[in-house]
């Protein structure tokens, strides 16, 4: 697994993709930090973390689009499938590499907090809790997009599929209040990423929301591994 992890980390930063993802996250975080905190005079970073939710919904599919689809397109997946590494080891190696890049990019928020701390007292417990919430949200969405990448040979289709999931996440936030069907309303409310993420930005570290994001990540990692193992033995 460690070999797969290091291979993917090198791939991210040998090509522009890793730099583009980190740079885009830093750009948007910097813009929101300036608008809300430096120009707006706010001493809390909750608005910054709330804004980054929408930003990462559309950046994460770009981060993950090549992970498995490119392997299939170049036929290098056959080497992986015949290697002594288990399917779970392959998937975890790729997943953890994507999460490492994501966590690195999200870490710019901690630098923003350090800058803000020079001018106002920053609640570091709240800031670190919000960062943890952002990483947990990213863990769930990265796992979903990794699964989508395993379904196609096209990076473009993998990215568009990821954008579609991101759009669905946004729609769940707007559809739930207007649905008449109680079951659908409850389902939309339960699966609503926005409502699960928002408490972290308010300083509420609810265990149920932590379990929700980790469960989503675990489910889609399992599905991706099952698909990989099915291809190994087909």
């Amino acid at each position: 697994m460690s070999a797969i992890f290091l291979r993917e980390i090198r791939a991210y930063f040998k090509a522009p993709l890793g730099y583009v993802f980190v740079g885009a996250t830093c750009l948007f975080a910097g813009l929101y930090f300036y608008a809300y905190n430096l120009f707006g005079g706010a001493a809390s970073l909750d608005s910054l973390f709330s804004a980054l939710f929408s930003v990462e919904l559309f950046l994460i599919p770009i981060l993950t689009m090549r992970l498995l689809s490119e392997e299939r397109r170049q036929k290098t997946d056959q080497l992986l499938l015949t290697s002594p590494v288990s399917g779970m080891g392959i998937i975890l190696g790729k997943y953890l590499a994507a999460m490492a890049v994501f966590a690195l990019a999200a870490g710019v928020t901690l630098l923003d907090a350090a800058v803000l701390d020079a001018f106002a007292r920053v609640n570091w417990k709240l800031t670190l809790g919000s960062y943890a919430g952002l990483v947990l949200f990213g863990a769930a969405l990265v796992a979903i997009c990794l699964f989508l990448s395993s379904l196609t040979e096209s990076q473009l289709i993998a990215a568009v599929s990821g954008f579609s999931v991101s759009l669905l996440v946004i729609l769940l936030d707007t559809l739930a209040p207007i649905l008449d069907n109680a079951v659908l309303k409850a389902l939309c409310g339960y699966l609503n990423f926005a409502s699960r993420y928002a408490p972290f930005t308010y300083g509420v570290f609810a265990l149920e929301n932590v379990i929700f994001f980790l469960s989503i990540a675990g489910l889609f990692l399992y599905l991706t591994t099952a698909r990989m193992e099915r291809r190994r033995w087909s």
Side-chain angles (χ1 to χ4, degrees):
M1 184 182 79
S2 59
I4 301 293
F5 173 81
L6 294 174
R7 171 177 175 260
E8 292 301 324
I9 289 291
R10 286 194 295 268
Y12 271 122
F13 293 103
K14 279 186 177 179
L17 181 59
Y19 297 101
V20 169
F21 179 82
V22 174
T25 300
C26 291
L27 172 63
F28 284 107
L31 289 174
Y32 288 124
F33 176 64
Y34 174 78
Y36 293 133
N37 299 104
L38 299 184
F39 184 76
S44 173
L45 293 170
D46 56 340
S47 296
L48 168 62
F49 281 103
S50 296
L52 283 179
F53 173 80
S54 299
V55 171
E56 297 301 345
L57 278 174
F58 293 98
L59 287 182
I60 287 176
I62 297 174
L63 177 69
T64 59
M65 63 183 183
R66 54 160 289 278
L67 284 175
L68 289 170
S69 59
E70 185 69 4
E71 299 278 9
R72 290 185 62 183
R73 189 183 69 83
Q74 295 183 347
K75 308 302 182 186
T76 52
D77 61 327
Q78 300 300 322
L79 295 176
L80 290 177
L81 293 172
T82 55
S83 69
V85 183
S86 67
M88 178 60 76
I90 294 169
I91 298 306
L92 280 179
K94 288 178 172 290
Y95 175 74
L96 292 176
M99 282 304 303
V101 176
F102 175 80
L104 173 66
V108 71
T109 57
L110 302 181
L111 293 178
D112 291 337
V115 171
L116 187 60
D117 199 39
F119 302 96
R121 178 170 294 181
V122 170
N123 186 333
W124 280 100
K125 288 184 178 179
L126 173 59
T127 300
L128 292 174
S130 298
Y131 174 77
L134 184 61
V135 171
L136 285 168
F137 154 69
L141 193 57
V142 166
I144 294 171
C145 291
L146 177 62
F147 172 70
L148 295 174
S149 179
S150 73
L151 300 178
T152 178
E153 296 182 1
S154 169
Q155 291 188 48
L156 178 60
I157 293 175
V160 171
S161 300
F163 293 144
S164 300
V165 170
S166 298
L167 182 60
L168 178 61
V169 167
I170 295 172
L171 288 177
L172 284 177
D173 189 31
T174 57
L175 283 177
I178 63 174
L179 289 174
D180 292 329
N181 188 292
V183 175
L184 289 178
K185 180 176 287 191
L187 184 62
C188 287
Y190 181 78
L191 295 176
N192 192 331
F193 276 38
S195 64
R196 297 283 185 177
Y197 173 73
F200 289 103
T201 67
Y202 305 144
V204 180
F205 203 83
L207 181 60
E208 61 179 308
N209 294 330
V210 175
I211 293 173
F212 171 79
F213 285 124
L214 291 179
S215 297
I216 293 293
L219 171 63
F220 279 92
L221 287 175
Y222 170 77
L223 293 175
T224 310
T225 301
R227 179 170 177 78
M228 175 70 75
E229 291 292 352
R230 181 180 178 183
R231 295 191 66 238
R232 185 196 293 268
W233 299 110
S234 63

